[in-house]
Amino acid sequence: MITYDEIKKNEDIRNYIKAADSSLLALGYTEHSFAHVEKVAKGVEYILGSLGFSKHDVEIAKIAAFLHDIGNLVNRVDHSQSGAVMAFRILDNLGMDSADIATVVTAIGNHDEGTGMPVNKVAASLILADKSDVRRGRVRNEDIATFDIHDRVNYSVTNSSLLIDEEKREIRLELAIDTNYGSVMDYFEIFLERMILCRKSAETLGLVFRLIINGQKLL
């Protein structure tokens, strides 16, 4: 079996991720490089591990997480689909089992809110881990005066936690927002569609999604 560590250390894959993130930097997008994909990999490990999934399922989900934004190398538009095709070629050439490739490709192809849906539990965990990575460190614009709404929202988040309450069967995204930089309304303006997808993903995993901002339950 191809492991997450092998994927993580693969120089070709690392070069694709670097190049994809360079394109997003040129377009003014937030960070989508190793800090992001490794955080998402830890997120899916936490979600599926907490719910008792097998080590194999967790490993496959972590591989999908590491590769999920690779399609930005082609174009930001439809990057989930192009990324899924790229991942198929890479993993097939590495000799991964076809059933595992199918799971990874499906998860990547369905992770973005534009066209994605939590069609299986690995895809659901990837969506939740990806969409919960909102933090100040992802903002690369150093001039606060020129922040757009995405910069403001990410910069305003001083703390972000994704927590599972197994007793209540809930998964909670808890955010601390500094309203000097962005408001709760700003967050909903750009992330409402993502939060709806998170709710559907939680349901796929048998959980209820909760969004808590500055101690207030909003979803």
Side-chain angles (χ1 to χ4, degrees), residues 172-187:
R172 299 193 301 267
L173 176 56
E174 299 185 3
L175 303 176
I177 288 181
D178 182 343
T179 55
N180 288 314
Y181 299 102
S183 68
V184 174
M185 185 59 72
D186 284 339
Y187 183 88

Side-chain angles (χ1 to χ4, degrees), residues 1-203:
M1 174 183 166
I2 305 296
T3 67
Y4 170 69
D5 282 341
E6 288 174 317
I7 295 298
K8 187 177 174 182
K9 294 174 182 175
N10 185 289
E11 277 304 311
D12 291 336
I13 291 171
R14 295 185 74 84
N15 284 334
Y16 298 149
I17 292 173
K18 289 176 188 175
D21 187 53
S22 292
S23 293
L24 293 182
L25 174 60
L27 293 169
Y29 280 84
T30 52
E31 179 267 325
H32 283 71
S33 191
F34 300 112
H36 173 59
V37 298
E38 289 177 21
K39 183 175 176 62
V40 175
K42 288 179 181 177
V44 298
E45 182 176 35
Y46 167 69
I47 293 167
L48 296 183
S50 298
L51 297 176
F53 282 76
S54 69
K55 290 183 178 179
H56 179 266
D57 287 339
V58 171
E59 195 79 355
I60 294 303
K62 288 171 69 178
I63 290 171
F66 196 77
L67 296 174
H68 80 278
D69 271 337
I70 205 168
N72 286 299
L73 177 67
V74 179
N75 198 291
R76 179 62 182 171
V77 177
D78 294 331
H79 74 280
S80 54
Q81 283 74 38
S82 54
V85 174
M86 288 180 66
F88 173 83
R89 183 181 184 279
I90 291 166
L91 297 175
D92 187 45
N93 286 343
L94 290 174
M96 179 181 270
D97 177 78
S98 59
D100 291 340
I101 292 175
T103 302
V104 171
V105 167
T106 298
I108 293 173
N110 279 279
H111 85 269
D112 194 57
E113 64 270 16
T115 54
M117 285 293 289
V119 293
N120 60 40
K121 290 179 170 57
V122 170
S125 71
L126 176 57
I127 289 166
L128 286 162
D130 180 37
K131 305 314 174 191
S132 65
D133 187 20
V134 187
R135 52 188 163 83
R136 179 168 291 186
R138 295 191 71 186
V139 178
R140 297 189 281 201
N141 181 357
E142 297 179 357
D143 184 0
I144 293 175
T146 64
F147 276 5
D148 64 12
I149 189 171
H150 290 84
D151 291 333
R152 291 201 308 272
V153 167
N154 279 277
Y155 196 82
S156 71
V157 177
T158 57
N159 190 58
S160 172
S161 301
L162 190 66
L163 303 167
I164 290 176
D165 186 327
E166 295 181 54
E167 185 175 326
K168 293 183 178 179
R169 300 300 293 174
E170 289 183 352
I171 183 164
R172 299 193 301 267
L173 176 56
E174 299 185 3
L175 303 176
I177 288 181
D178 182 343
T179 55
N180 288 314
Y181 299 102
S183 68
V184 174
M185 185 59 72
D186 284 339
Y187 183 88
F188 273 101
E189 183 177 339
I190 64 172
F191 286 156
L192 180 58
E193 194 174 2
R194 298 183 189 185
M195 295 301 97
I196 292 171
L197 189 57
C198 282
R199 186 192 68 199
K200 293 177 180 177
S201 298
E203 291 170 355

